[in-house]
Structures are given as C-alpha cells and as structure tokens.
Amino acid sequence: MTLLPRAAGEFIVKRAKSIKINNAGIDKLCRAVMEGLMTKEIDVENFSQHEFHPKPSDPQCLNWLFLIDTLNFCFWTPGDATKWRVQGQTGYFALCAAINRARKTGADDDIVNPKYYSQLTKEALEEILRSDDGQTKVPLLDDRVKCLKEVGVKLLEKYNGNFENCVKECGKSAQKLLKLIVEEFPCFRDEATYEGQQVAIYKRAQILIGDIWACYRGEGLGEFTDIETITMFADYRVPQVLVHFGALEYSDNLMKSLKSDEILENGSAEEVEIRGASIYIVEELKDRVIDQIKSQKLNISLKNINSVLLDHFLWDYRRRHAAELEYIPFHKTFSVYY
C-alpha cells in the first residue's frame, strides 16, 4: 500500500535520520501566517491576480494549467551558470511567460492543444522555451518532450483531448482527481520507497489541483469539497523557508552535503526526508492556525486555511526574501517530479 502525502510525511518524520522538526519554529511560522491572513497576503484571490496566470473566463484555462504543471519541474541552475530567463522571469514564471508568448504568436496550432504538443519535437519545444539571451536552455529538455507526449496522447485517447473532462469525471473530489492524475499520467506519479514503505509525495499532481482550485477561487470547475486533503507541494525551495524559521533542521552531515552542492538522488533517503518533513510541517502549521482561529473566535474565513494557500505563502516568501535566505542551501535533484 502506498501512503498518501499526509500519512507519508508523518511516517517519514518519525523515522528520519537527517532532519529534525522543531515545534518552536512551527509556532513562529504560525505567527507569520496569522499576520498574512489578517493583511490578506494569504488569500485565494491572489492567484488569479497574477499577470501570468489565466482567467477562469479563458475557455482554455484548464488546459493551460495542465500544460504548465506538466512542465513545472527542475528549473534550478548549477553553480554560477546563467539562469534560464524568459521576459525577465526565472523558474516557474519564466515557463508561464514562454507558454503565454507561444499562445500570442497566432500559430495554427495552440500550444495548449494536446494534438499539437503530443507531437512536438525537441527542436520545436526548445524554440517555444527559448531564453531571453537566446543561449541558455531550460534544464531536462528531453524529459519535457517525453512528458508532453505522454500526457498528450492519453488526453487524446481517453479524454477527447481536453483536461476539463478529467476534472468533471471526479465530481468535485480533489482526492479522486489526484488518483486519476497519478494513474493516468505516470510523469506525475511522484513516489519513493522509504524504510521499506512506498510513500507518495505527489508534488506536481497536487499543485495542479491547487492551481485549479485557486484559479477558479474554489468555485465552478475549481470547486473541490475535500480541498483540505491536499498537502503542500514538496519542492526544493520551500524547505529554505522552513529552515529559516527554525521549523526544520538539517543534520551536520546533510548540511555539509547541501553546502558542497552535492546532487541528491531522487528517491534517496535524504531527499525523501526533506520533502516528507516539508509536508509534515505544513500540515502541523495548518492545524495550529485553524485551532488558533477557532479558539480565539477570529473573523477569518476558514476557506483561506488550507495547505494550498500556505504553500503559496511560503513559496512567495522565499521569492521576496531570496537574498536573505541565500545562507540556507537548497537540495539539488534532477527530477521530473519537482
């Protein structure tokens, strides 16, 4: 049996050797989250207000989200290498900018159409994802082509070429959609074996569901009656924030490895522990925030208290405080899963 993310996080933390959870750090994070809720920094409205994200009124909105999260992995740059940039953006937002640029070209085949991207060549995708300097290439280009073909073919064969049909099939259940995504599209099946137990992390599958929920503000196609069961999206950047707040602590050996830029194998014990701990901490954080709101009878909608929005807050915090957090190394892994 494969443990789903929340249970997986707890299982991993209880057996971890290279990381430690600190309750005082989680409490410190809780205070920051409460402030973010009060100031509306944490709010479901924020996703759709970003210039690179589609509006729910866009008929291709769901297909755009699916395409983006199919390609939403491994943007980090080794050492002093030049970062991949599109329209001045790096990482995820560079991907959004590149896909939006492709949609505006007026090409016969829309980039969000699986008929088109399931047949994309490496050269064609390289052109779509071309960098501002015309030289720097996005990492793992071959893997991105493979992922697009895999998901595109399945959508065409089984879902009439439209990801909306996958969403509708799941009857407003985030867990049913999560199961569908990881079963139908193997490149989303982010699992590992830890201490003899199969554990699921499901970063990209869950972020896809979270993006749908946030983009539609939890309404219409984005309504999930069990959105609270989705955990945070365990990547390589959020742990920097968790360490910064003191919620997560690395062993001396792990910190030494990270500072020396050692590449962690996807599925290695150290990598799984960092990601499992991230899930565990954010779930603990969510529970504490909810308890505090209820006990103090605060006028804060519980609609804004889930791991999707807590992840958004932590990820945005890292971007805003990038220079300040540079002292904390992030773990480096070549993987299609995050």
Side-chain angles (χ1 to χ4, degrees):
M1 182 186 76
T2 301
L3 293 180
L4 290 175
R6 177 163 181 145
E10 187 171 350
F11 178 89
I12 292 163
V13 162
K14 284 181 177 177
R15 293 159 180 81
K17 300 175 181 66
S18 298
I19 60 92
K20 180 182 174 184
I21 307 298
N22 293 319
N23 280 311
I26 301 177
D27 287 337
K28 187 178 178 182
L29 258 178
C30 187
R31 290 191 290 273
V33 167
M34 293 303 296
E35 183 179 341
L37 288 165
M38 296 288 191
T39 61
K40 298 290 187 180
E41 181 184 344
I42 301 175
D43 195 286
V44 69
E45 299 290 331
N46 295 341
F47 183 92
S48 292
Q49 290 174 2
H50 199 284
E51 61 177 310
F52 289 107
H53 288 151
K55 304 301 180 189
S57 56
D58 180 348
Q60 292 298 327
C61 181
L62 280 178
N63 285 326
W64 186 96
L65 292 170
F66 182 66
L67 173 65
I68 287 290
D69 286 326
T70 295
L71 296 171
N72 184 9
F73 58 83
C74 199
F75 298 116
W76 65 270
T77 305
D80 296 325
T82 303
K83 287 187 176 182
W84 174 65
R85 293 180 184 273
V86 180
Q87 295 180 5
Q89 302 293 318
T90 59
Y92 165 76
F93 285 121
L95 174 64
C96 294
I99 296 303
N100 290 341
R101 178 179 61 190
R103 290 193 73 187
K104 291 176 182 176
T105 59
D108 292 337
D109 293 296
D110 194 332
I111 180 60
V112 302
N113 187 340
K115 286 183 181 177
Y116 177 64
Y117 64 70
S118 64
Q119 301 178 49
L120 266 183
T121 62
K122 178 180 177 180
E123 293 71 26
L125 184 60
E126 187 174 348
E127 171 62 18
I128 289 167
L129 301 180
R130 67 189 180 278
S131 62
D132 291 341
D133 64 13
Q135 302 292 324
T136 309
K137 300 187 190 314
V138 68
L140 302 187
L141 188 62
D142 287 326
D143 292 287
R144 295 179 198 278
V145 173
K146 182 179 177 182
C147 288
L148 287 178
K149 182 171 184 177
E150 174 192 289
V151 303
V153 167
K154 178 64 73 170
L155 278 181
L156 292 168
E157 287 179 350
K158 195 167 178 181
Y159 296 99
N160 199 29
N162 193 343
F163 183 66
E164 184 175 319
N165 292 324
C166 298
V167 176
K168 287 180 175 177
E169 186 173 301
C170 296
K172 300 183 180 180
S173 169
Q175 283 302 313
K176 285 182 180 178
L177 183 56
L178 180 61
K179 187 172 186 286
L180 182 151
I181 292 167
V182 299
E183 287 183 354
E184 297 283 33
F185 310 107
C187 68
F188 282 86
R189 201 176 300 151
D190 176 13
E191 299 175 354
T193 302
Y194 181 78
E195 296 285 321
Q197 172 65 53
Q198 192 76 359
V199 292
I201 308 295
Y202 294 162
K203 186 266 184 179
R204 286 199 296 115
Q206 291 199 114
I207 204 171
L208 172 57
I209 294 168
D211 285 351
I212 295 168
W213 176 81
C215 188
Y216 288 87
R217 299 175 176 86
E219 299 172 350
L221 290 167
E223 182 184 355
F224 297 107
T225 56
D226 54 353
I227 191 64
E228 74 282 352
T229 64
I230 296 298
T231 71
M232 61 82 69
F233 322 123
D235 68 349
Y236 52 90
R237 285 301 195 180
V238 168
Q240 286 181 288
V241 182
L242 303 181
V243 171
H244 176 69
F245 275 86
L248 176 62
E249 184 179 322
Y250 295 148
S251 69
D252 291 343
N253 285 340
L254 178 55
M255 184 62 86
K256 183 179 177 181
S257 295
L258 298 183
K259 285 185 174 179
S260 66
D261 282 342
E262 179 181 325
I263 306 298
L264 298 185
E265 286 293 320
N266 180 229
S268 66
E270 295 84 359
E271 186 233 22
V272 172
E273 287 180 11
I274 293 171
R275 300 182 76 204
S278 300
I279 293 172
Y280 178 86
I281 289 169
V282 176
E283 289 300 292
E284 280 287 304
L285 176 62
K286 177 182 68 175
D287 292 345
R288 292 183 196 193
V289 169
I290 291 173
D291 286 345
Q292 193 164 325
I293 291 170
K294 288 181 176 178
S295 64
Q296 297 181 21
K297 298 181 180 178
L298 299 174
N299 187 26
I300 296 176
S301 171
L302 292 181
K303 179 182 180 183
N304 273 334
I305 318 300
N306 58 45
S307 295
V308 175
L309 293 182
L310 293 180
D311 186 284
H312 290 181
F313 168 74
L314 295 169
W315 192 78
D316 288 340
Y317 185 96
R318 206 291 308 176
R319 285 180 68 89
R320 288 198 315 275
H321 300 272
E324 183 186 345
L325 269 61
E326 270 305 302
Y327 76 99
I328 303 167
F330 64 87
H331 71 280
K332 299 171 178 67
T333 306
F334 288 111
S335 170
V336 302
Y337 297 123
Y338 65 102

